[in-house]
Amino acid sequence: MAAQADRVVAELTAKGVDVVRVAFPDLMGTERSKELLVEQLPAAVERGVAFCRAVYHTSPLGETVPVPGGLDAGLPDMEIVPDLDTLAVVPWEPGVATCIGDQRDGGESPRAVLGRVVAGLAESGLRPLVGPELEYYLCVPDGAGFAPYSPEPGNIYVSGTRGDPDRHLIATVRNLRDLGLGVLGGNHEYCPGQFEINLDYSGALDSADRAFRFKAAVKDLARREGKLATFMAKPFNEHGASGFHVHVSLVDAAGENLGADDAGEYGMSPLLRHALAGVLRHAPALTALTNPTINSYKRFGPDTLAPWLIDWGLDNRSAMVRVPPDRGVGTRIEVRLPDASANPYLVHAGVLAAMRLGIEDGLEPPAPLEGYGYNADRTAVLPMSLTAALDALDDDSALQSLLGKDFVSSFSVLKRAEVARFEQWVTDWEFREYAYHI
């Protein structure tokens, strides 16, 4: 490690880099970081970079939630160790490189949670590959707050200045490519100011790293344009929500796709069917991880192209789990449950843990959805509130055992505090609904 750090310092210095940003995700998936002078990197690798552990338990508005081991322990330090294999030069910020750090003892680190799940699959000879698709809204100041950028309707899958007069997307895609995020491409989505950018397939940890960096980079680049990029699930009442779809395949050590079976039902191997059934079985608990905010549940519902029911279908985008038509090396499932606000590490960890449980239990999925979905008479409805989803997670001991009970406990405390804050807050809807007539 010391020799690698010395070599990296020399390489960065030769490139004119004198600052290294050491970043890590908190439980929400927000990037927390410190900027080190490059000559401090070897010491950081040896001793770690000190952060207050309570940063994992900090709300979006900066409140420290009393999760055990934080406030009650006197706000102790933790050590974040730079992972030099994740080092990348920031193309739009001269003289700056960035790398992801790991909590030394694992603890509640979302990256460590995913690492444990991936290691468990490896013991069975399974290596997951994941391709993330993330949507976001680009917003502009409007005096009272923010409004969608380029608000003209109907610019679905258009290119150039028609739906993007400032050329935000093409500049962003180029910067993300140069950061090494494995960008495949991007497009204007259904709603005004909404964009989607697709990332390439890779191993689950690398995929989550890239999705984490992607979200932080998009927000940074938007601010440089004088705009706001938000991965909030549903920022506007009158417009659609933003999803975070994950394509997952399972391969062996040689890279052979283990989900493909020409003779199997639907061209899928028993292994992949079991894995898919595991996602369905544990969907209520998964929802707490994949849809982690109060706002997330305003995305769900019939006729939204977002999930509402616990179902699956063959090339059917109205289902919670879609099996794309590709077979052979492209055989995979697409889990459409997560929304864009979710922490990529926890999305990947939860989905893969559920797949592992389905394989171990030999579960079989029901018949696939045919036609347009959203008929609640045919299958169970997903949890429709954060509280209901957290209750399901707290009750799913099998999923907890793979994610880590200490992590689940901390996550539940953090999120239930969010619910409590919301329930005490007087909203503009309440004033508009009641004040004049009551």
Side-chain angles (χ1 to χ4, degrees):
M1 291 286 288
Q4 182 186 15
D6 289 339
R7 184 174 66 254
V8 165
V9 169
E11 292 171 353
L12 291 177
T13 301
K15 294 177 181 178
V17 172
D18 63 345
V19 171
V20 176
R21 181 173 298 140
V22 179
F24 68 96
D26 66 8
L27 293 188
M28 297 182 296
T30 298
E31 182 188 76
R32 308 292 180 180
S33 59
K34 284 188 179 181
E35 295 181 342
L36 304 179
L37 293 173
V38 69
E39 59 265 26
Q40 299 301 315
L41 192 58
V45 169
E46 180 182 356
R47 297 193 296 269
V49 180
F51 287 83
C52 178
R53 181 173 171 267
V55 74
Y56 276 136
H57 318 138
T58 301
S59 78
L61 294 183
E63 301 174 41
T64 298
V65 178
V67 174
L71 282 172
D72 64 340
L75 299 171
D77 268 352
M78 63 179 178
E79 296 174 353
I80 298 295
V81 180
D83 180 350
L84 297 182
D85 291 334
T86 67
L87 198 73
V89 176
V90 180
W92 59 89
E93 198 164 1
V96 177
T98 181
C99 72
I100 298 173
D102 285 314
Q103 186 180 350
R104 191 182 291 279
D105 63 358
E108 300 140 311
S109 161
R111 201 168 188 248
V113 171
L114 176 56
R116 289 194 294 268
V117 173
V118 170
L121 286 167
E123 292 174 359
S124 300
L126 302 175
R127 186 165 70 93
L129 301 179
V130 185
E133 298 177 353
L134 279 143
E135 297 170 337
Y136 63 94
Y137 272 91
L138 190 66
C139 307
V140 293
D142 69 350
F146 288 92
Y149 157 72
S150 188
E152 298 79 14
N155 285 326
I156 304 164
Y157 296 135
V158 300
S159 298
T161 57
R162 182 172 155 193
D164 184 10
D166 295 342
R167 306 288 278 157
H168 158 82
L169 180 62
I170 197 164
T172 299
V173 166
R174 285 170 173 160
N175 273 309
L176 298 177
R177 174 200 62 196
D178 294 345
L179 187 59
L181 297 189
V183 170
L184 298 177
N187 58 270
H188 193 289
E189 260 296 340
Y190 271 70
C191 302
Q194 189 183 40
F195 296 90
E196 177 179 276
I197 294 178
N198 306 135
L199 304 180
D200 200 2
Y201 258 85
S202 68
L205 183 59
D206 178 72
S207 171
D209 283 344
R210 290 184 295 113
F212 165 64
R213 285 181 145 166
F214 164 82
K215 294 176 75 172
V218 166
K219 288 184 281 190
D220 187 32
L221 289 166
R223 287 187 176 95
R224 290 167 180 270
E225 298 176 17
K227 302 180 179 70
L228 171 74
T230 181
F231 290 87
M232 184 177 171
K234 187 174 172 62
F236 302 106
N237 280 310
E238 63 273 27
H239 298 305
S242 293
F244 175 4
H245 303 156
V246 288
H247 294 250
V248 187
S249 59
L250 297 171
V251 302
D252 62 17
E256 181 177 351
N257 190 309
L258 299 175
D261 184 349
D262 291 340
E265 191 173 20
Y266 313 117
M268 298 162 58
S269 69
L271 180 85
L272 189 60
R273 292 200 313 272
H274 299 332
L276 188 159
V279 174
L280 300 179
R281 168 72 62 84
H282 296 278
L286 269 181
T287 306
L289 303 174
T290 57
N291 307 87
T293 71
I294 296 287
N295 178 258
S296 295
Y297 297 83
K298 294 177 172 62
R299 170 177 172 256
F300 288 168
D303 302 316
T304 60
L305 285 182
W308 182 46
L309 306 177
I310 301 173
D311 56 7
W312 76 284
L314 297 166
D315 197 17
N316 192 327
R317 285 180 170 83
S318 64
M320 189 193 85
V321 180
R322 169 179 172 255
V323 178
D326 309 271
R327 291 297 180 266
V329 297
T331 306
R332 64 193 187 278
I333 64 172
E334 178 193 4
V335 182
R336 298 173 61 82
L337 176 60
D339 70 63
S341 68
N343 182 328
Y345 297 99
L346 302 184
V347 168
H348 289 31
V351 168
L352 295 176
M355 291 174 71
R356 176 182 169 182
L357 291 170
I359 293 168
E360 291 178 348
D361 294 338
L363 302 179
E364 287 288 348
L369 168 69
E370 294 185 3
Y372 192 52
Y374 305 114
N375 182 352
D377 294 333
R378 292 192 292 195
T379 188
V381 177
L382 286 161
M384 294 303 292
S385 71
L386 181 55
T387 297
L390 291 168
D391 289 344
L393 179 60
D394 288 346
D395 289 342
D396 194 329
S397 58
L399 195 68
Q400 285 189 45
S401 68
L402 297 186
L403 298 174
K405 291 187 176 181
D406 289 343
F407 156 74
V408 172
S409 176
S410 294
F411 182 83
S412 183
V413 170
L414 178 71
K415 291 282 120 185
R416 289 185 189 278
E418 178 180 325
V419 173
R421 291 194 304 276
F422 176 76
E423 289 177 344
Q424 294 298 314
W425 190 262
V426 179
T427 66
D428 60 347
W429 182 93
E430 292 168 278
F431 190 89
R432 185 182 61 187
E433 185 81 2
Y434 305 127
Y436 183 78
H437 294 288
I438 294 179

